[in-house]
Amino acid sequence: MLKSIHFNSQALAYLLVAPQVIITLVFFIWPAGQALYQSFLIEDAFGLGSEFVWFENFIYLFEDDYYGESFGRTALFSFLVAVISMSFALFLAGFAERVVRGGLFYKTLLIWPYAVAPVLAGALWVIMFDPSLGIITYFLKYFGIDWNYKLNGNQAMTLVVMAAAWKQVAYNFLFFLAGIHAIPKSMIEAAAIDGSGPVRRFWTIIFPLISPVTFFLLVINTVYAFFDTFGIIHVMTQGGPAKATEILVYKVYNDGFIGLDLGGSAAQSVILMFIVISLTVIQFRYIEKKVEYK
Amino acid sequence: MRFVKSLFSFSSALIIFCGGIAQAVTEVQWWHAMGGVNGERVDKISSDFNASQSQYKVVPVYKGNYTETMTAAIAAYRAKSQPHIVQVFEVGTATMMAAKGAVYPVEQVMKDSGEKFDKSDFLPAVISYYQTPEGELLSMPFNSSTPVLWYNADALKKAGVGVPITWAEMKSASEKLLASGMDCGFSFGWQSWVMVENYSAWHDLEIGTQENGFAGLDTKFSINNKNVKRILGQISDWSKKGIFKYGGRRGDSLSMFTNGECAMWMNSSAYYGSIKKQAKFNYAQSMLPLDTEASSSRQNSIIGGATLWVLKGHKSDDYKGVAKFMNYLSSPAVQAWWHQETGYVPITKSAYELSKSQGFYQSNPGTDTAIKQLNLNQPTPNSRGLRFGNFVQVRDIINEEMEAIWNGSKSSSNAMDAAAKRGDALLRKFERANK
């Protein structure tokens, strides 16, 4: 007879999961619920009087041209940041893997920017590109480029994309490097014996085999560009000039904390919340199955 | 060992005891937005007050720029940990006024605590901005300024031009300045305040309906009138020749004036301290130029800067300390000192008279430009000030649209129409939330 040990009461089981459940409730479900409730209210700044208006804040958002524009801008921004930072990281990881001498030194240097806080990363780029004091602005003048990101929206966008992508290269590099390391040497050596060169080996063996990593990073980078770039934008452009760099998360801040329109701001963060939820669902349910694992 | 232990417990008891004594002094929290040198001056005012008596202790806390300070105080109020006093800039006035349950009108604070308070000594141009329609003073004016025309006297002399009085002269003077080797004629900062709000008041033009918002929340912007559009359009044309150069929001363009790039700069009189420190040339201030196409005479300019608001929710004894401090702050000696150091206007007549008798204006010619501009004429409904809800956001909108003019992506007409339309939407939102 097989004796199975099991606990008489389920209480212990509940007790053991309780900390996790409580943390989730307090730090995730409760604030999310508050945001949801707030998004149905029109309220004055001090919270002295409020009116329950159902979906009026949302309707206002969808009728607001600037919100639609901010959506498009965020999509462009995230796409550029993800593509630029991932391709650079892959490029660097592909080469770092091949370095024989001093590999660790290079790898350490490449990982370094990840330790820089977004605000500091922004400040660094601002100092280099300041329209009147920046060293790079000075060089750009020789090429006849009139650099003033405080006035030119496209230049401002270019600048925040560069700063945000640069900051993320290190993180992506780390994952790509680990992914390449995990590929059995024998496969690459076999291909080499068969006469394929390094470039061909990269595209036909390494690149397909690290596709789970690539996909994972794509989601992470999109989420990064959506949310974590707030500090960079706050330091560099504050969403300006003329909203040229106001992505969704910055608009939430601007409307809520500067404009004190809490209902409208909460409605925007609820929409952002649904975007993240759907991104995560797509990651786990849909694409992850299609990605080839070894 | 035992001895050490008892010594330890004795000393910790002593610390607790002393801490108890320190607690007996009532603390008054003052959140402000004065960074840098002005922050040190705020600290000095507080510590001088603290040294003058032993009952109350004012604790000044720097909370970032004006917007950050105001939003921090509001967030703190919602979390029930608000300061006693918060410094709020003039564009936040409507928001603070609407928060009737949260704000303790300063005139009431003075009355309730039995402090002497002579409202008639305050300059009308300053306090009219912060009074209810019934005349009750809601917040204590602290640092008020008005935009003036700063000029590089050496550069003007070199180019052989006088100080411009009209906008036409601004252009001709700038052209001569450029010919004499300057990089740019003029620039300005706080552009919505200087070029839209003050430009309108200066020429007695309406900024918004309902007496610029003073008469009711159902107000609409009239900043898209033909005069504002014309002057901004002209300036945009001039910028192609270098007559005008845009240098960013707020005071960002200060360096363009102090490093000698631009010969003239329109911005707050309160840059006096910074210019005095940075400029390596002879500088002076003069009245804003008159746009003869908009009006034949000058009206008066309006103030900017900030006032101190008292927030409810503390013990009534604390407010006695607040009232005492407010009286100290607006005393002639403190005000005259503050005015002469910073370039902010003195808020009371007696502080103005004191500065006069001290000979400040004689030894520093032009430093009374701001106060003269404010008192030039009896304010009209168009030049008393403005009171619009959500104006912090509206200022940003105006900034954005003006930047679109400067970078050539919009005509001044389209930009100002868009600014008025977007601003009106926010006014309606404010009206809705503050019924």
Side-chain angles (χ1 to χ4, degrees):
Chain A
M1 201 179 138
L2 194 67
K3 260 194 183 173
S4 65
I5 299 167
H6 64 104
F7 300 101
N8 293 342
S9 91
Q10 290 182 313
L12 183 67
Y14 285 121
L15 199 69
L16 288 172
V17 296
Q20 186 58 46
V21 171
I22 289 169
I23 285 172
T24 311
L25 282 176
V26 171
F27 291 104
F28 297 97
I29 308 294
W30 188 33
Q34 288 253 309
L36 199 62
Y37 176 64
Q38 189 85 54
S39 71
F40 292 135
L41 300 178
I42 287 184
E43 197 178 58
D44 73 287
F46 284 83
L48 298 166
S50 61
E51 186 188 348
F52 194 83
V53 293
W54 286 108
F55 292 97
E56 207 179 302
N57 285 323
F58 291 93
I59 293 165
Y60 180 84
L61 279 181
F62 289 117
E63 284 171 352
D64 183 8
D65 294 341
Y66 292 93
Y67 191 64
E69 278 173 29
S70 180
F71 239 102
R73 196 177 298 128
T74 312
L76 176 72
F77 175 77
S78 314
F79 174 78
L80 288 175
V81 169
V83 167
I84 291 172
S85 68
M86 283 172 69
S87 38
F88 259 97
L90 186 58
F91 180 79
L92 291 170
F95 278 95
E97 176 59 17
R98 295 173 56 81
V99 171
V100 185
R101 282 165 138 261
L104 191 66
F105 175 71
Y106 288 114
K107 285 168 198 166
T108 311
L109 280 188
L110 284 167
I111 293 162
W112 235 344
Y114 188 60
V116 179
V119 174
L120 291 181
L124 280 177
W125 285 76
V126 160
I127 292 167
M128 290 191 291
F129 283 90
D130 187 277
S132 49
L133 309 169
I135 182 98
I136 307 229
T137 314
Y138 188 75
F139 289 124
L140 285 173
K141 254 188 199 147
Y142 280 111
F143 297 101
I145 300 167
D146 184 18
W147 177 267
N148 187 351
Y149 74 90
K150 286 186 181 172
L151 210 49
N152 185 320
N154 291 332
Q155 290 181 355
M157 190 56 147
T158 312
L159 189 60
V160 289
V161 165
M162 283 196 295
W166 170 77
K167 168 94 182 63
Q168 195 65 0
V169 163
Y171 181 86
N172 294 342
F173 169 77
L174 208 59
F175 276 83
F176 277 131
L177 195 67
I180 295 173
H181 266 305
I183 298 168
K185 278 274 178 289
S186 56
M187 294 174 81
I188 294 164
E189 280 158 7
I193 290 166
D194 287 347
S196 68
V199 177
R200 197 188 159 88
R201 289 201 300 270
F202 178 81
W203 286 114
T204 53
I205 299 174
I206 298 177
F207 191 66
L209 283 175
I210 57 166
S211 63
V213 177
T214 311
F215 171 69
F216 165 78
L217 285 178
L218 187 67
V219 174
I220 292 290
N221 278 280
T222 312
V223 173
Y224 162 80
F226 259 77
F227 298 97
D228 290 354
T229 48
F230 174 85
I232 291 176
I233 290 178
H234 192 52
V235 167
M236 299 180 88
T237 62
Q238 282 106 53
K243 291 197 186 297
T245 52
E246 193 183 67
I247 61 168
L248 290 171
V249 65
Y250 203 80
K251 193 170 161 58
V252 169
Y253 165 80
N254 231 350
D255 290 359
F257 289 87
I258 305 296
L260 302 169
D261 173 14
L262 295 170
S265 175
Q268 292 174 38
S269 50
V270 167
I271 292 171
L272 272 180
M273 189 163 79
F274 281 111
I275 292 174
V276 182
I277 291 172
S278 44
L279 270 177
T280 317
V281 169
I282 291 170
Q283 179 188 7
F284 284 112
R285 281 293 163 83
Y286 183 65
I287 303 184
E288 206 168 56
K289 281 181 192 159
K290 293 200 170 176
V291 174
E292 198 182 326
Y293 284 100
K294 55 174 189 282
Chain B
M1 190 64 212
R2 199 187 232 159
F3 169 73
V4 173
K5 239 182 192 169
S6 64
L7 187 71
F8 178 73
S9 53
F10 174 72
S11 54
S12 43
L14 196 71
I15 288 166
I16 292 164
F17 182 66
C18 292
I21 289 178
Q23 285 294 310
V25 178
T26 308
E27 276 198 4
V28 172
Q29 292 280 328
W30 176 19
W31 288 7
H32 67 85
M34 305 264 85
V37 192
N38 281 346
E40 288 163 25
R41 292 182 181 130
V42 160
D43 290 345
K44 183 180 151 47
I45 292 176
S46 312
S47 57
D48 286 355
F49 171 74
N50 294 341
S52 73
Q53 44 76 50
S54 56
Q55 249 183 308
Y56 303 100
K57 187 178 174 222
V58 171
V59 184
V61 184
Y62 175 63
K63 280 282 169 184
N65 66 31
Y66 282 138
T67 316
E68 286 160 357
T69 305
M70 176 171 163
T71 49
I74 290 174
Y77 182 83
R78 293 178 76 105
K80 296 187 171 56
S81 57
Q82 68 272 30
H84 299 78
I85 306 171
V86 59
Q87 184 188 20
V88 176
F89 58 162
E90 87 283 0
V91 290
T93 305
T95 304
M96 298 301 288
M97 276 185 78
K100 287 199 176 67
V103 165
Y104 197 167
V106 82
E107 204 172 327
Q108 199 64 41
V109 174
M110 300 309 249
K111 210 176 280 172
D112 291 349
S113 56
E115 280 287 320
K116 252 200 295 183
F117 180 61
D118 180 15
K119 207 167 57 176
S120 64
D121 190 32
F122 286 79
L123 293 177
V126 175
I127 61 167
S128 63
Y129 210 108
Y130 304 104
Q131 278 170 313
T132 61
E134 293 76 38
E136 185 184 31
L137 184 63
L138 292 171
S139 60
M140 177 60 83
F142 175 54
N143 55 322
S144 299
S145 65
T146 199
V148 294
L149 175 68
W150 289 99
Y151 60 90
N152 181 334
D154 294 349
L156 259 63
K157 201 172 165 190
K158 192 183 162 204
V161 289
V163 184
I165 312 264
T166 63
W167 273 98
E169 287 175 24
M170 283 293 281
K171 179 173 183 257
S172 58
S174 295
E175 279 165 345
K176 282 185 191 143
L177 283 160
L178 291 176
S180 79
M182 289 299 280
D183 275 347
C184 104
F186 70 91
S187 186
F188 44 70
W190 284 101
Q191 51 181 350
S192 166
W193 182 55
V194 176
M195 285 312 301
V196 176
E197 299 156 38
N198 265 293
Y199 171 84
S200 300
W202 197 231
H203 300 97
D204 199 11
L205 304 167
E206 187 184 70
I207 305 164
T209 59
Q210 292 286 12
E211 304 185 9
N212 291 347
F214 273 71
L217 292 178
D218 53 336
T219 164
K220 282 177 79 174
F221 286 109
S222 7
I223 50 174
N224 53 342
N225 63 60
K226 66 174 199 305
N227 283 309
V228 171
K229 284 178 176 175
R230 178 178 43 75
I231 191 77
L232 296 182
Q234 276 175 357
I235 294 172
S236 170
D237 286 344
W238 296 347
S239 70
K240 285 169 200 134
K241 289 184 250 166
I243 291 176
F244 163 72
K245 207 166 172 183
Y246 179 66
R249 297 181 183 187
R250 292 177 289 271
D252 288 2
S253 49
L254 171 68
S255 58
M256 287 165 59
F257 177 66
T258 53
N259 69 15
E261 202 177 337
C262 295
M264 293 178 283
W265 190 54
M266 279 182 276
N267 211 340
S268 164
S269 59
Y271 283 99
Y272 177 65
S274 310
I275 293 174
K276 194 173 167 184
K277 209 171 178 182
Q278 295 173 21
K280 304 259 185 327
F281 48 80
N282 291 308
Y283 57 88
Q285 48 182 315
S286 141
M287 287 203 189
L288 292 173
L290 172 74
D291 183 2
T292 46
E293 287 176 63
S295 169
S296 57
S297 65
R298 300 175 288 199
Q299 177 53 42
N300 65 289
S301 63
I302 51 177
I303 60 166
T307 54
L308 305 183
W309 290 79
V310 182
L311 296 178
K312 283 185 180 164
H314 293 277
K315 285 189 295 250
S316 69
D317 189 48
D318 293 11
Y319 292 108
K320 283 190 183 143
V322 171
K324 271 207 163 52
F325 179 62
M326 291 288 185
N327 250 348
Y328 175 80
L329 188 77
S330 51
S331 64
V334 175
Q335 270 303 311
W337 173 78
W338 172 252
H339 158 58
Q340 293 170 21
E341 289 282 311
T342 61
Y344 285 112
V345 297
I347 57 170
T348 58
K349 288 168 196 158
S350 38
Y352 181 41
E353 293 302 326
L354 182 62
S355 300
K356 253 191 210 166
S357 66
Q358 287 170 342
F360 177 69
Y361 304 119
Q362 263 166 353
S363 43
N364 301 281
T367 42
D368 53 352
T369 306
I371 196 160
K372 279 186 179 158
Q373 262 187 193
L374 289 170
N375 293 329
L376 199 60
N377 285 300
Q378 184 65 33
T380 68
N382 292 337
S383 72
R384 198 190 325 164
L386 47 88
R387 194 167 288 166
F388 301 113
N390 285 335
F391 200 58
V392 182
Q393 269 172 308
V394 176
R395 271 246 177 108
D396 271 345
I397 288 173
I398 296 175
N399 271 324
E400 283 168 23
E401 296 294 345
M402 285 176 87
E403 277 167 355
I405 303 176
W406 311 141
N407 69 23
S409 62
K410 271 187 187 177
S411 71
S412 65
S413 176
N414 288 344
M416 293 322 283
D417 284 341
K421 190 176 159 227
R422 291 169 62 191
D424 286 345
L426 285 171
L427 289 178
R428 294 295 74 76
K429 256 194 148 170
F430 186 77
E431 193 183 0
R432 175 87 192 270
N434 289 283
K435 268 194 289 225

